[in-house]
Amino acid sequence: MTAPMGTERRPPDAALGNDLVMRASDVSVEYAGPRPTRAVRDVSLELRRGEVLGIVGESGCGKSTLAYALTRMLRPPARMTGGVIEYFDRDGSAVDLGSLGGEELRAFRWEKISMVFQSAMNALNPVTGIGSQMEDVFRTHRPGMDRSARRARCAELLEMVGIDPRRLRSYPHELSGGMRQRVVIAMALALEPQIVVMDEPTTALDVLVQREILDEIERLRAQLGFSVVFITHDLALLLEISDRLAVMYAGRFVEYAPAEQVAGAARHPYTRGLLRSFPDLRGERREMRGVPGSPPDLRHTLTGCPFAPRCESVFEPCHTVAPRLLAPAGSWPVACHLHDRRFAVAQTDGDGR
Ligand code: ADP
């Protein structure tokens, strides 16, 4: 991790108010190797208190790597090669995540920010009871808490995620996948963090259970007020649960928009392709066309727009000039030359792109 170390706590930007809970600026992550993989490229995001920020993209576009960077959980060969990630506490003070080390970082991870992975439900220890595993969080982070208080809190947490507290005595194999994932969510919420990063938290579950768990997350978020970074390849799902969403392609954000506006007015051809990739929510089944082709190999140097080889609207500058994430007046940021004033096409194509 090469984010600037040793940065002191400082007050947040006055202009931002206390509404912001996290800000990532120009974050880049590389996996070292004979040909390094530039998995995350200059990504910037802001997370507001209580909001759900969705991050969507096909497999291999850098979503998980970004999630690990945001929680400072990158392990070699991954390393952050640039950028700053700041966390804003309730009292308005700012912490540069890169400045945290050892104990401070460990505490930070559960107390302020926690993470739920797709495979987390399988990471529960098979030979230890659920209750004991939940209690471990308190044993580690609340050493002063006595046994009965720990147990009471674990029972409360299980109940909060819709599981009978008597299940504290169960072993992971005695619970369904959905229940195990609820246990993991309960653990992530144990210390009341302000941010929960969820990486495909429901993907391994069947559709009905997935729906129940999403409703549960939404209910808990409304009740407890934490913010969520929700990562998935499923844009339909994100449109439902996100306040804002970022579309990621080849390590970059290519569109960063209010979720309710994207369905009808997506600007990036990749986003529009993703929107065509699932059946209409109103029940009218459409052809699952997806986006033909596949994303580029992130070990290669990318020239021009990385989406150009797959883009239905490709034109000359796309092959040579890398698009920047720009917000046209009155709109949201999009990295596409169709919307860049320097390339007049956007002004002449009349199809609302
Ligand atoms: P996503 O979550 O969108 O599927 P990832 O963040 O997992 O994407 O991967 C982004 C890129 O980083 C991919 O090209 C992937 O091959 C590469 N990558 C992921 N993990 C490793 C690793 N441990 N070592 C080397 N490359 C990796």
Side-chain angles (χ1 to χ4, degrees), residues 9 35 48-49 77 92 163 192 208 213 221 262 265 300 303:
R9 276 167 179 259
R35 281 168 88 168
R48 300 184 195 126
R49 221 166 280 285
I163 298 179
E192 298 176 23
L208 278 180
I213 291 194
R221 193 193 58 78
V262 168
H300 294 151
T303 307

Side-chain angles (χ1 to χ4, degrees), residues 287-305:
E287 191 192 349
M288 302 281 277
R289 272 197 290 159
V291 187
S294 48
D297 185 335
L298 296 179
R299 287 171 303 178
H300 294 151
T301 304
L302 305 176
T303 307
C305 174

Side-chain angles (χ1 to χ4, degrees), residues 301-323 337 343:
T301 304
L302 305 176
T303 307
C305 174
F307 187 61
R310 305 171 72 189
C311 183
E312 61 189 12
S313 308
V314 66
F315 64 120
E316 193 280 326
C318 308
H319 300 295
T320 48
V321 184
H337 293 325
F343 308 105

Side-chain angles (χ1 to χ4, degrees), residues 31 37 39 58-66 77 298:
Y31 289 92
T37 302
E58 288 161 292
S59 179
C61 69
K63 304 182 298 295
S64 294
T65 307
L66 177 61
L298 296 179

